[in-house]
Amino acid sequence: MKTLKRIFYAILSLTIIAGAYGIAFGVPEQVAQLRGGSATETADAPQNARAGQRGQNRATTVVLTSLEARKYTLVLRTVGSAVSLHRTEVTASDAGEVVETALQANGMVEKGDVLLRLDDRTEQFALEIAEANRDQVQATVTRYEGLRSNGSSVVTDVALSEARVALRLAEANVGLAQVALNDRTIVAPISGRLGLTDVSVGDRLSSGDAIVTIDDTSSLLATFEVPERSIGLLTEGKQVLVSTPTYTGRIFEGEITAFDSRLDSVTRSATVQAKIENPDGLLLAGMTFAIRMTEETDPLPVVPATAITWNRSGAGIWIAEEGSTRRVPVTIRYREGDRVWVEADAPLGAQIVAEGAMKLRDGAQVTVAGARKGPGA
């Protein structure tokens, strides 16, 4: 029994193998002649059946859309801080005791307004002495010149010359005394807003001591960093849009005034300065700003993201022409949502495969399942 089973299984296996061979490669000529048919006809029968089935399924169903060109808006967002465009720190030019102040924090001052006065009694006395000496020398010069004009020989040319030199020295001493007296009064060098100060009447200041800061906040100078990839956005006079959490929803305008000529070796960014007009005085020096710059590119072909396919040579899109497709390489420039801006050697208005592109091969036949109006539509 075991021997019969083995023979049966062997015959069954040979039959299956022979059938598979005949289906795949056709029936041998000798066997076909025994069966009363040609090998070619026998072999062509299953192949023709398969070819007919492939012919029915060869066309790929895709969705097409027209190739359009649109501008892309480059947007750079960064943060920065600002200082007053015109600012100064007022310091004491001389030592002395404070006898009068007009330092009100956040108060507005005009250029030349008195901020404080130091004890100036010594300087006033020095000025009086210098003026008295000048007057005395002036009288001598006047008397000598009168004598000489009357033809008197009492006053020599040397004496008159020395008197005139003495007068010049006396006038210079008066000027020095006046400067020393003026230095006892500290005035605002610019117009602006006063900062906090701890100087009060009775304090004694040394030369060079800080008194108060003045900020002219009618214009601010914002400083921020721009990454290397966005250097092309930088031009002097370019508009920047500024916002701050302090005034939610409000946009302030400014323009670039200067930027660095080299990149930071660590951050790979360039430092940029922009002037921000602040006529209402709402913005304060030291605020942190969100800064935005925009620029529109030239029109570029734009396609749906689903239209992009990849192979060893890179990205590409499929163009449908007269029911068949061909692949066109593209260079991706920008992405935004489900849209991709590309550079491609393809005419605008061409029908491109928006969906179903992953199934395509060069020369593949396609049928249109639907149409899309455009990328992102």
Side-chain angles (χ1 to χ4, degrees), residues 220 222 224 237-242 251-257 273-278 291-293:
L220 299 181
F224 53 94
K238 183 176 181 61
Q239 183 187 56
V240 298
L241 303 177
V242 179
I251 303 298
F252 300 88
E253 295 184 358
E255 63 179 28
I256 293 177
T257 57
Q273 292 181 336
K275 180 181 178 182
I276 303 171
E277 297 298 336
N278 185 34
I291 298 172
R292 179 162 52 95
M293 289 190 295

Side-chain angles (χ1 to χ4, degrees), residues 191-266:
S191 301
R193 187 186 302 273
L194 294 176
L196 289 172
T197 181
D198 57 359
V199 176
S200 58
V201 174
D203 291 343
R204 183 165 186 83
L205 299 179
S206 299
S207 178
D209 283 352
I211 298 174
V212 71
T213 59
I214 302 178
D215 289 286
D216 179 6
T217 56
S218 60
S219 297
L220 299 181
L221 188 65
T223 303
F224 53 94
E225 302 292 323
V226 170
E228 181 177 0
R229 66 178 182 275
S230 301
I231 295 300
L233 293 177
L234 300 181
T235 55
E236 289 189 16
K238 183 176 181 61
Q239 183 187 56
V240 298
L241 303 177
V242 179
S243 60
T244 174
T246 307
Y247 303 104
T248 304
R250 183 162 183 176
I251 303 298
F252 300 88
E253 295 184 358
E255 63 179 28
I256 293 177
T257 57
F259 51 90
D260 206 345
S261 60
R262 62 180 62 184
L263 299 179
D264 186 276
S265 59
V266 177

Side-chain angles (χ1 to χ4, degrees), residues 17-345:
I17 294 173
Y21 180 89
I23 293 173
F25 303 104
V27 181
E29 185 69 27
Q30 297 82 354
V31 177
Q33 291 175 357
L34 291 175
R35 294 177 56 188
S38 67
T40 303
E41 293 175 354
T42 307
D44 287 346
Q47 292 178 2
N48 290 339
R50 290 194 302 271
Q53 185 176 5
R54 285 199 305 269
Q56 294 176 356
N57 299 329
R58 184 170 54 184
T60 303
T61 302
V62 297
V63 175
L64 301 181
T65 184
S66 297
L67 184 62
E68 299 177 354
R70 297 184 185 177
K71 296 180 179 180
Y72 180 78
T73 302
L74 293 169
V75 180
L76 170 66
R77 291 181 173 86
T78 184
V79 295
S81 58
V83 297
S84 301
L85 185 60
H86 302 290
R87 60 195 182 279
T88 188
E89 183 178 51
V90 181
T91 60
S93 58
D94 203 352
E97 181 182 348
V98 179
V99 296
E100 180 184 343
T101 66
L103 302 175
Q104 181 180 359
N106 289 313
M108 299 298 298
V109 295
E110 297 294 330
K111 181 179 180 180
D113 288 352
V114 174
L115 301 179
L116 65 78
R117 299 182 188 275
L118 300 176
D119 184 5
D120 59 2
R121 290 173 296 177
T122 300
E123 287 72 22
Q124 287 183 358
F125 289 142
L127 178 59
E128 291 182 5
I129 293 172
E131 289 176 341
N133 183 55
R134 179 201 60 192
D135 293 343
Q136 183 178 13
V137 175
Q138 179 65 62
T140 301
V141 171
T142 301
R143 181 163 49 86
Y144 283 1
E145 289 177 344
L147 292 173
R148 289 300 302 271
S149 63
N150 292 330
S152 173
S153 59
V154 175
V155 179
T156 64
D157 292 339
V158 175
L160 180 57
S161 176
E162 290 177 348
R164 288 174 174 170
V165 171
L167 177 59
R168 292 174 58 191
L169 292 174
E171 289 175 342
N173 287 332
V174 170
L176 291 174
Q178 186 65 59
V179 170
L181 179 61
N182 293 341
D183 286 344
R184 310 302 285 180
T185 301
I186 309 299
V187 300
I190 63 172
S191 301
R193 187 186 302 273
L194 294 176
L196 289 172
T197 181
D198 57 359
V199 176
S200 58
V201 174
D203 291 343
R204 183 165 186 83
L205 299 179
S206 299
S207 178
D209 283 352
I211 298 174
V212 71
T213 59
I214 302 178
D215 289 286
D216 179 6
T217 56
S218 60
S219 297
L220 299 181
L221 188 65
T223 303
F224 53 94
E225 302 292 323
V226 170
E228 181 177 0
R229 66 178 182 275
S230 301
I231 295 300
L233 293 177
L234 300 181
T235 55
E236 289 189 16
K238 183 176 181 61
Q239 183 187 56
V240 298
L241 303 177
V242 179
S243 60
T244 174
T246 307
Y247 303 104
T248 304
R250 183 162 183 176
I251 303 298
F252 300 88
E253 295 184 358
E255 63 179 28
I256 293 177
T257 57
F259 51 90
D260 206 345
S261 60
R262 62 180 62 184
L263 299 179
D264 186 276
S265 59
V266 177
T267 63
R268 308 306 302 170
S269 60
T271 302
V272 184
Q273 292 181 336
K275 180 181 178 182
I276 303 171
E277 297 298 336
N278 185 34
D280 298 331
L282 298 177
L283 304 177
L284 299 180
M287 276 185 168
T288 299
F289 297 112
I291 298 172
R292 179 162 52 95
M293 289 190 295
T294 61
E295 182 173 336
E296 286 190 340
T297 67
D298 293 332
L300 290 171
V302 57
V303 301
T306 53
I308 302 293
T309 60
W310 296 85
N311 61 17
R312 293 181 179 178
S313 62
I317 58 175
W318 291 90
I319 295 181
E321 296 174 336
E322 299 180 355
S324 65
T325 58
R326 64 182 178 91
R327 192 173 188 273
V328 176
V330 300
T331 301
I332 296 176
R333 293 289 303 275
Y334 311 105
R335 289 179 181 268
E336 183 181 298
D338 62 349
R339 295 183 295 177
V340 181
W341 280 257
V342 299
E343 292 180 353
D345 185 15

Side-chain angles (χ1 to χ4, degrees), residues 352-370:
I352 64 172
V353 178
E355 296 180 14
M358 299 300 296
K359 306 174 184 178
L360 299 178
R361 298 292 182 270
D362 280 325
Q365 299 296 311
V366 294
T367 59
V368 181

